[in-house]
């Protein structure tokens, strides 16, 4: 049995928050694979079903983000599920919108949900980090993650959630690279919206050897090279330029 956990905060006021992208992903998995209705149990909402012939539990902890581990440990203890068979999906500030990364183990990266889970079941579970982008300032993070997705975000959010749901069987089979590749191909390639979009575009178009910061600056007039006079003669001598 495999446990797929989406992290978020309970309540209608948080439903479309960026911090709740884990809940949104699990809801899409449940729809796509015809899971049964979620029921209240283990301080969470849990649903049972099958993905590609494998029995899977879906869990949305209802303990608020910073106590997510309290719900997860109840489920793993009751069903005797090892950390290696647990996958947690959650928001990641340090990935551009629409990108995702999968890894096993590691630190919390400052995420309160992960910080709550590690002491409860250990660090050796699979983490699916779903990129939501960064607001650009540490002081703005709380307001940003607890803010709702904008309407324009649907352009990358909907394809990402659909691709995650379609490819969930690869997660259950622990084919992390196959999962990441399939999601990327299916549409979870990352958006170009958000506070750092201009810097990302500049980085893509910057000439070799030029930083994306310099590339993003307004172009300045180049100094005109003198064609006559002492300076011109010196430059011609230095660079071996022949007279025209």
């Amino acid at each position: 049995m495999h446990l797929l956990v989406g992290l978020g905060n309970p309540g209608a006021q948080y439903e479309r928050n960026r911090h709740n992208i884990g809940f949104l992903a699990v809801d899409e998995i449940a729809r796509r694979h015809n899971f049964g209705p979620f029921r209240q149990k283990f301080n969470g909402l849990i649903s049972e079903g099958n993905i590609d012939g494998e029995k899977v539990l879906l869990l949305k902890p209802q303990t608020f983000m910073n106590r997510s581990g309290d719900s997860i440990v109840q489920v793993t203890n009751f069903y005797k599920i090892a950390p290696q068979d647990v996958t947690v999906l959650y928001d990641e500030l340090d990935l551009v919108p629409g990108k995702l990364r999968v890894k096993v183990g590691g630190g919390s990266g400052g995420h309160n949900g992960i910080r709550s889970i590690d002491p409860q079941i250990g660090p050796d579970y699979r983490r699916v980090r779903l990129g939501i982008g960064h607001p650009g300032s540490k002081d703005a993070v709380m307001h940003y993650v607890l803010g709702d997705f904008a309407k324009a975000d649907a352009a990358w959010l909907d394809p990402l959630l659909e691709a995650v749901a379609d490819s969930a069987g690869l997660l259950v089979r622990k084919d992390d690279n196959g999962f990441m590749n399939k999601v990327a191909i299916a549409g979870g390639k990352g958006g170009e919206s958000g506070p750092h979009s201009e810097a990302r575009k500049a980085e893509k178009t910057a000439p070799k050897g030029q930083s994306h910061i310099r590339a993003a600056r307004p172009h300045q007039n180049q100094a005109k090279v003198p064609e006559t006079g002492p300076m011109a003669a010196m430059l011609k001598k230095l660079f071996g330029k022949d007279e025209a």
Side-chain angles (χ1 to χ4, degrees):
M1 181 182 292
H2 200 92
L3 175 64
L4 294 179
V5 183
L7 298 189
N9 288 311
Q13 67 270 39
Y14 302 110
E15 186 175 350
R16 295 294 297 177
N17 282 184
R18 295 180 180 90
H19 218 20
N20 274 37
I21 194 171
F23 277 10
L24 297 176
V26 164
D27 284 339
E28 186 63 26
I29 291 171
R31 283 192 291 269
R32 190 58 53 93
H33 297 278
N34 299 312
F35 273 62
F38 282 91
R39 66 186 191 279
Q40 187 81 39
K41 199 173 183 180
F42 306 115
N43 287 334
L45 293 174
I46 194 165
S47 178
E48 298 181 26
N50 289 276
I51 299 177
D52 292 353
E54 299 288 337
K55 188 172 183 180
V56 175
L57 293 176
L58 300 179
L59 174 66
K60 297 188 291 182
Q62 300 294 289
T63 50
F64 285 94
M65 186 68 80
N66 62 357
R67 291 182 54 204
S68 300
D70 294 354
S71 175
I72 294 171
V73 73
Q74 291 181 54
V75 176
T76 56
N77 286 343
F78 184 85
Y79 288 99
K80 304 288 191 292
I81 300 174
Q84 293 80 8
D85 294 317
V86 177
T87 297
V88 179
L89 301 96
Y90 61 98
D91 57 298
E92 176 57 72
L93 287 164
D94 292 331
L95 289 175
V96 299
K99 287 281 190 179
L100 66 74
R101 291 289 182 271
V102 182
K103 68 173 183 177
V104 176
S108 69
H111 194 284
N112 287 334
I114 300 301
R115 188 179 285 145
S116 167
I117 298 168
D118 287 355
Q120 301 269 29
I121 68 171
D124 298 325
Y125 55 91
R126 183 167 285 93
R127 301 140 194 258
V128 179
R129 299 180 294 148
L130 304 168
I132 61 170
H134 197 285
S137 168
K138 185 177 180 180
D139 294 337
V141 165
M142 184 64 71
H143 177 76
Y144 180 74
V145 298
L146 294 180
D148 286 351
F149 286 109
K151 288 183 179 179
D153 289 328
W156 63 264
L157 179 60
D158 291 349
L160 174 66
L161 297 177
E162 291 168 4
V164 167
D166 285 341
S167 308
L170 295 169
L171 272 183
V172 173
R173 295 196 296 274
K174 304 176 184 178
D175 183 359
D176 298 344
N177 288 332
F179 173 76
M180 287 189 285
N181 290 337
K182 190 170 181 181
V183 170
I185 292 170
K189 297 180 181 179
E192 286 299 333
S193 60
H196 298 310
S197 60
E198 291 304 317
R200 289 196 298 272
K201 291 175 184 176
E203 185 173 10
K204 290 178 181 178
T205 57
K208 188 175 182 180
Q210 182 180 3
S211 74
H212 65 278
I213 296 175
R214 290 187 62 190
R217 293 174 181 162
H219 291 293
Q220 298 179 354
N221 292 332
Q222 298 291 329
K224 187 176 181 180
V225 179
E227 297 179 356
T228 61
M231 180 62 75
M234 183 182 72
L235 291 173
K236 290 174 182 176
K237 184 177 180 181
L238 285 173
F239 294 105
K241 184 176 180 180
D242 295 331
E243 297 271 5

